[in-house]
Amino acid sequence: ADLFFSWLEETNIRDEGQTFLFDQKGYSTGSAQDMSSNPDVQKVLTGQGGTDRIMIDGKPYLSSYQPLMPYGWGVVTRLEL
């Protein structure tokens, strides 16, 4: 598990970018934070992947997201614009 989280941390983009892995309920595996209300996470939870400009807490982000089938998990990488 430590090796996996080490790899995930290394995938962060610049100082502003973040990569999240989350379970089938939208909870971040690194912090157990509920991310299910975020638009990119909602799309992944319905099986969609893609790249969009989204707003979270009034801030714009570029988000790339992908479901990890057949597990029902997902991965999101965000860069604040």
Side-chain angles (χ1 to χ4, degrees), residues 33-77:
Q33 177 184 0
D34 184 359
M35 301 176 66
S36 63
S37 64
N38 295 329
D40 47 3
V41 174
Q42 290 175 353
K43 287 184 177 183
V44 171
L45 293 176
T46 62
Q48 300 176 59
T51 300
D52 288 316
R53 182 179 171 161
I54 62 169
M55 298 291 286
I56 299 176
D57 297 328
K59 296 179 183 177
Y61 291 88
L62 180 63
S63 174
S64 290
Y65 48 90
Q66 187 66 40
L68 302 174
M69 299 300 186
Y71 310 104
W73 287 35
V75 63
V76 167
T77 298

Side-chain angles (χ1 to χ4, degrees), residues 6 9-10 14 23 26-27 33 37 39 52 56 61 71 80:
S6 171
E9 188 172 301
E10 290 176 15
R14 299 188 341 205
D23 68 15
Y27 283 85
Q33 177 184 0
S37 64
D52 288 316
I56 299 176
Y61 291 88
Y71 310 104
E80 188 173 347

Side-chain angles (χ1 to χ4, degrees), residues 16-33:
E16 303 88 16
Q18 296 180 314
T19 299
F20 303 96
L21 180 69
F22 52 92
D23 68 15
Q24 63 274 17
K25 294 183 180 180
Y27 283 85
S28 169
T29 58
S31 65
Q33 177 184 0

